[in-house]
Amino acid sequence: MATALWIANVEVTDAEAYGRYAKGAGPAITAHGGVFLARGGRHVQLEGRDRSRNVVARFPSVEAAVACYNSPEYQAALDHARGASVRDLVVVEEID
């Protein structure tokens, strides 16, 4: 089974609330087999809309990443990000 990348592009509008999201999201992602490859950090926007925060995590499969997103733990964390950020999130299967 191919691994998958969880790619989030985020503009934080409320740092305090988003911090609460990050505090809960990290453990939820790790619990579902996710490993962070990038969390914020330096980036260069070459095309499209620039968002100040970019996060990439590798999961064992697309299904594992989607299960993480739908989990009660992640959804509880996500409640803090709603209204505190503008986000795009995509899960992409990696090539074997």
Side-chain angles (χ1 to χ4, degrees):
M1 185 176 288
T3 56
L5 297 177
W6 163 303
I7 305 168
N9 305 107
V10 184
E11 185 64 40
V12 176
T13 57
D14 180 339
E16 185 177 323
Y18 199 80
R20 291 191 297 273
Y21 157 76
K23 189 176 279 190
I29 288 169
T30 301
H32 286 86
V35 175
F36 287 101
L37 304 177
R39 264 183 124 165
R42 210 173 140 216
H43 75 281
V44 175
Q45 185 71 31
L46 297 176
E47 291 186 23
R49 97 189 128 245
D50 188 21
R51 299 239 169 107
S52 60
R53 184 164 177 79
N54 299 283
V55 178
V56 179
R58 177 174 286 126
F59 280 83
S61 66
V62 168
E63 293 77 12
V66 172
C68 175
Y69 182 85
N70 291 321
S71 71
E73 301 83 7
Y74 185 79
Q75 288 298 309
L78 189 56
D79 283 343
H80 296 290
R82 292 185 178 106
S85 62
V86 177
R87 303 162 25 106
D88 290 317
L89 175 62
V90 64
V91 174
V92 180
E93 188 171 67
E94 289 190 272
I95 297 171
D96 284 334

